[in-house]
Amino acid sequence: MKLNIIFSILPVLVFLMVFNLLDSYKLVRIKTIYQALLWGVVAAGLSYVFNLVLNVFVDFEFNNYAKYLAPFVEEILKAVFVYYLIKKHQIGFMIDGAIIGFSIGTSFAFLENIFYINELVTDNTFVWGLRGFGTSIMHGGTTAIVAIITMLHTSKKLKSTLKAMMPGLLIGMLIHFFFNSFIVSTL
């Protein structure tokens, strides 16, 4: 089981470290990265609760719910901290947004992978490697995309941060939706 956890999260942690190394100006404080990591865990927990409650109302089969509705809930909850930081002018550049967004997605994916390690009936290390390279990178990447596109639109002097966030959020949701819609499942 420990090996499965390592394979499911190691790729995304390495990618996060590379992202941080590419930030030549080091404007993102380590405290902000820790806060982003913490928010990813909170967002994953909230997503679990929201998805359970919402699924009762829509009564979808699990796979259909995961495909069609979960991406919207999860991407919105991951983006809340990005929105907060941009609103407080604590993200200055697109790369800062990418680092923070990817940090949120990293810890979100970590908690999600821990959940699935306990839920899925497989010890196949290859499955967990695919979750590490696939699902984890997707969660980090979509939130980074939301942050980058929001920063791009914010720099164009859109008056509303929420309005500036919509294109990136929509793209993140679509990527997540298509990722969950693959014909061949990881298992």
Side-chain angles (χ1 to χ4, degrees):
M1 178 167 312
K2 288 179 185 174
L3 195 57
N4 293 343
I5 293 170
I6 291 168
F7 278 111
S8 70
I9 199 63
L10 188 61
V12 77
L13 289 176
V14 168
F15 199 64
L16 177 61
M17 286 188 285
V18 168
F19 244 164
N20 204 19
L21 290 173
L22 289 174
D23 179 17
S24 58
Y25 292 108
K26 303 288 184 230
L27 296 177
V28 179
R29 297 178 309 164
I30 194 73
K31 177 184 173 187
T32 306
I33 291 175
Y34 288 144
Q35 290 170 335
L37 290 167
L38 179 61
W39 179 252
V41 170
V42 169
L46 289 173
S47 291
Y48 179 75
V49 172
F50 276 97
N51 285 330
L52 282 178
V53 171
L54 191 57
N55 197 26
V56 168
F57 291 108
V58 294
D59 195 31
F60 274 20
E61 189 253 341
F62 176 79
N63 287 337
N64 287 333
Y65 184 87
K67 239 186 263 185
Y68 301 116
L69 293 175
F72 297 99
V73 171
E74 294 173 5
E75 294 307 321
I76 288 169
L77 287 170
K78 289 188 297 178
V80 166
F81 190 63
V82 172
Y83 174 82
Y84 169 78
L85 290 177
I86 291 173
K87 202 74 171 141
K88 295 289 182 185
H89 304 288
Q90 292 185 17
I91 299 178
F93 299 100
M94 286 188 275
I95 187 65
D96 301 347
I99 291 167
I100 291 165
F102 204 83
S103 299
I104 294 166
T106 296
S107 55
F108 186 100
F110 178 76
L111 194 62
E112 185 179 84
N113 282 342
I114 296 294
F115 171 79
Y116 279 116
I117 282 173
N118 292 316
E119 290 295 312
L120 298 178
V121 198
T122 183
D123 275 338
N124 186 339
T125 305
F126 185 70
V127 167
W128 300 108
L130 284 175
R131 282 200 64 82
F133 280 103
T135 308
S136 296
I137 300 293
M138 180 273 297
H139 276 297
T142 55
T143 313
I145 287 168
V146 170
I148 290 167
I149 293 175
T150 303
M151 289 304 298
L152 176 68
H153 288 308
T154 302
S155 68
K156 291 182 177 178
K157 304 292 185 220
L158 283 178
K159 294 192 192 297
S160 167
T161 303
L162 196 55
K163 188 184 278 187
M165 187 171 258
M166 286 303 133
L169 197 52
L170 182 61
I171 290 169
M173 289 173 178
L174 286 172
I175 291 169
H176 194 155
F177 164 77
F178 285 118
F179 184 87
N180 286 359
S181 298
F182 283 148
I183 296 169
V184 179
S185 115
T186 316
L187 287 175

